[in-house]
């Protein structure tokens, strides 16, 4: 029998709320994803409250190797500056790299210029490029359809592969570029709203059915998804797609060793 001991790859959901109304009300928290991949710690999309949610859970910013923004919208970037300051201990211990789309740095930057010298480096995300952080690599396979420059990610660790489909309007390429054993997907709406570039539950179902990961985790819920009880929606998707679908909860820590013993 395979060893069920923790793999050393975990993902903590610092928040599961998404889009403007839910984030403004904080019915669900909005702090992003804290990855611990074989000891390499990476913060993805530090939305409002990230510093509060992470310190409350004893996650220590000074251990972070990198911060990644999928895009510049407030619910993904609001705490990026304080998290850079915390990662570098107020700038006294420069460290860590920042990965962001070009438009997070230009025109109306979301990163304060005085913090840039605290970092080891800044890398600009581009469609189809690969990046490495220690022994972790990730790619940004395609630019999403969203009002600002936006990229999802496909991560590879020593033991696992997983994807993060961040905010986007649905388009078929989403079903072809995000492989891996685990899929994390931002599902804002219960039904599609044509005028808004966000994924809905039927979109998520289509993507999960095509990609067939071992596990899919729904997160980034807007008000309509929250009212529909995401855990019930996840159960329905599990039955319909044959994939184990979970609804993330605020503070949930997912151990990727679960992928080793389906
Ligand atoms: Zn967005």
């Amino acid at each position: 029998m395979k060893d069920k001991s923790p793999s050393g790859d975990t993902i903590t959901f610092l928040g599961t709320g998404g889009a403007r109304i839910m984030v403004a009300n904080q019915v669900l928290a909005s702090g992003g994803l804290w990855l611990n991949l074989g000891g390499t710690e990476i913060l993805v999309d530090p939305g409002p409250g990230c510093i509060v949610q992470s310190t409350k859970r004893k996650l220590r910013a000074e251990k972070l190797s990198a911060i990644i923004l999928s895009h510049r919208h407030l619910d993904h970037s609001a705490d990026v500056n304080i998290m850079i300051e915390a990662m570098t201990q107020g700038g006294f211990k420069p460290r860590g790299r920042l990965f962001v789309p070009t438009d997070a740095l230009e025109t109306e930057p979301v990163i304060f210029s005085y913090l840039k010298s605290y970092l080891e480096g800044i890398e600009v995300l581009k469609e189809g490029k690969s990046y490495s952080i220690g022994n972790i690599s990730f790619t940004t396979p395609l630019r999403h359809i969203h009002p600002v420059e936006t990229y999802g990610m496909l991560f590879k660790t020593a033991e696992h592969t997983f994807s993060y489909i961040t905010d986007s309007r649905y388009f078929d390429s989403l079903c072809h570029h995000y492989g891996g054993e685990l899929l994390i997907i931002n599902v804002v709406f219960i039904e599609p709203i044509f005028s808004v570039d966000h994924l809905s539950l039927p979109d998520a179902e289509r993507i999960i059915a095509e990609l067939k990961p071992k596990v899919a985790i729904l997160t980034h819920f807007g008000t309509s998804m929250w009212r529909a009880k995401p855990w019930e929606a996840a159960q329905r998707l599990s039955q319909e797609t044959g994939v184990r679908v979970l609804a993330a909860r605020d503070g949930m820590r997912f151990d990727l060793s679960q992928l080793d013993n389906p």
Side-chain angles (χ1 to χ4, degrees):
M1 217 173 117
K2 244 180 146 183
D3 184 9
K4 270 200 169 183
S5 64
S7 62
D9 287 346
T10 61
I11 298 171
T12 303
F13 292 80
L14 294 175
T16 58
R20 284 166 281 183
I21 306 301
M22 182 57 88
V23 171
N25 294 331
Q26 290 288 302
V27 172
L28 295 171
S30 54
L33 305 171
W34 192 292
L35 316 179
N36 187 333
L37 306 174
T40 301
E41 299 189 37
I42 300 167
L43 176 62
V44 180
D45 284 349
C50 181
I51 187 73
V52 175
Q53 299 299 333
S54 57
T55 48
K56 192 164 94 178
R57 299 193 161 82
K58 310 254 183 302
L59 295 165
R60 293 169 56 201
E62 67 269 24
K63 288 186 161 182
L64 286 168
S65 297
I67 300 174
I68 308 173
L69 297 191
S70 68
H71 66 296
R72 55 172 292 142
H73 278 159
L74 204 54
D75 52 338
H76 297 254
S77 72
D79 272 14
V80 67
N81 290 300
I82 182 64
M83 294 313 294
I84 293 170
E85 205 158 86
M87 174 169 74
T88 60
Q89 297 185 51
F92 290 111
K93 296 203 170 158
R95 64 175 275 122
R97 281 147 75 208
L98 178 71
F99 298 81
V100 290
T102 313
D103 71 353
L105 299 169
E106 294 176 357
T107 321
E108 183 193 36
V110 297
I111 320 293
F112 293 143
S113 55
Y114 79 92
L115 295 173
K116 290 182 182 171
S117 63
Y118 297 180
L119 293 161
E120 257 167 43
I122 299 178
E123 293 197 46
V124 173
L125 300 177
K126 294 265 181 254
E127 182 171 77
K129 274 194 72 179
S130 296
Y131 306 87
S132 61
I133 302 163
N135 54 356
I136 308 305
S137 66
F138 75 95
T139 59
T140 42
L142 74 166
R143 182 171 174 169
H144 286 196
I145 302 174
H146 203 53
V148 297
E149 196 179 347
T150 303
Y151 301 98
M153 292 141 220
L154 170 56
F155 289 90
K156 281 194 173 64
T157 78
E159 294 178 80
H160 301 107
T161 53
F162 64 94
S163 291
Y164 167 49
I165 298 185
T166 187
D167 297 359
S168 184
R169 167 180 288 276
Y170 176 84
F171 59 118
D172 286 339
S173 297
L174 294 175
C175 294
H176 308 306
H177 287 82
Y178 291 104
E181 302 154 278
L182 169 69
L183 173 67
I184 298 163
I185 183 163
N186 284 3
V187 188
V188 170
F189 297 128
I190 186 76
E191 291 294 342
I193 297 179
F194 188 74
S195 57
V196 187
D197 292 336
H198 272 298
L199 294 173
S200 65
L201 193 65
D203 298 329
E205 180 176 351
R206 202 153 142 194
I207 294 166
I208 293 165
E210 281 286 331
L211 289 172
K212 287 252 178 271
K214 287 183 182 171
V215 175
I217 303 178
L218 315 179
T219 188
H220 209 61
F221 307 122
T223 310
S224 68
M225 262 305 287
W226 179 239
R227 287 202 188 115
K229 303 192 172 84
W231 54 96
E232 289 181 5
Q235 213 170 22
R236 271 201 313 280
L237 289 203
S238 293
Q239 284 159 1
E240 279 154 27
T241 61
V243 171
R244 184 176 166 223
V245 182
L246 308 172
R249 299 277 194 166
D250 285 354
M252 180 175 100
R253 180 170 298 179
F254 183 83
D255 191 319
L256 276 73
S257 66
Q258 289 189 47
L259 302 168
D260 306 337
N261 296 285

